[in-house]
Amino acid sequence: MTARKRHWAAFASAMTVAVCGTVWLGASWDDVRRGNGVSVDRETKSPEEIRKYWTPERIRQAEPMEMPAWDPCEHFPSQLSPDCW
């Protein structure tokens, strides 16, 4: 095999890998784009109204909400994160 054919073979292999990688990334992008489930609520009340609402009795009875956990293995394909292997 001549040097010119080897160069074309290497080029064709590199292009094939690039195209396949692009297709694979495009196919898995919906999983990545969905987000991590975190929601944000903006409070429209003034700080004084919020302080009036949170009486000592309400503070004692308040229970913390469960924090959402982000699992990289859930949102990314397993090939991208060694922790998911």
Side-chain angles (χ1 to χ4, degrees):
M1 188 181 249
T2 66
R4 186 177 183 124
K5 287 183 181 179
R6 278 191 303 241
H7 291 164
W8 276 110
F11 175 76
S13 297
M15 291 306 293
T16 301
V17 168
V19 168
C20 290
T22 303
V23 169
W24 172 75
L25 183 61
S28 63
W29 187 252
D30 284 340
D31 295 335
V32 174
R33 195 172 38 135
R34 276 190 211 130
N36 58 5
V38 175
S39 62
V40 176
D41 293 325
R42 302 277 184 214
E43 187 56 58
T44 58
K45 296 180 181 178
S46 70
E48 292 80 25
E49 289 175 305
I50 294 171
R51 280 190 214 99
K52 285 180 186 176
Y53 176 83
W54 284 107
T55 62
E57 179 66 25
R58 282 192 171 137
I59 291 174
R60 279 192 295 276
Q61 293 177 352
E63 294 181 15
M65 292 185 68
E66 182 179 331
M67 294 298 292
W70 187 71
D71 182 13
C73 300
E74 178 184 344
H75 298 287
F76 291 105
S78 60
Q79 290 82 3
L80 294 180
S81 177
D83 298 334
C84 301
W85 294 350

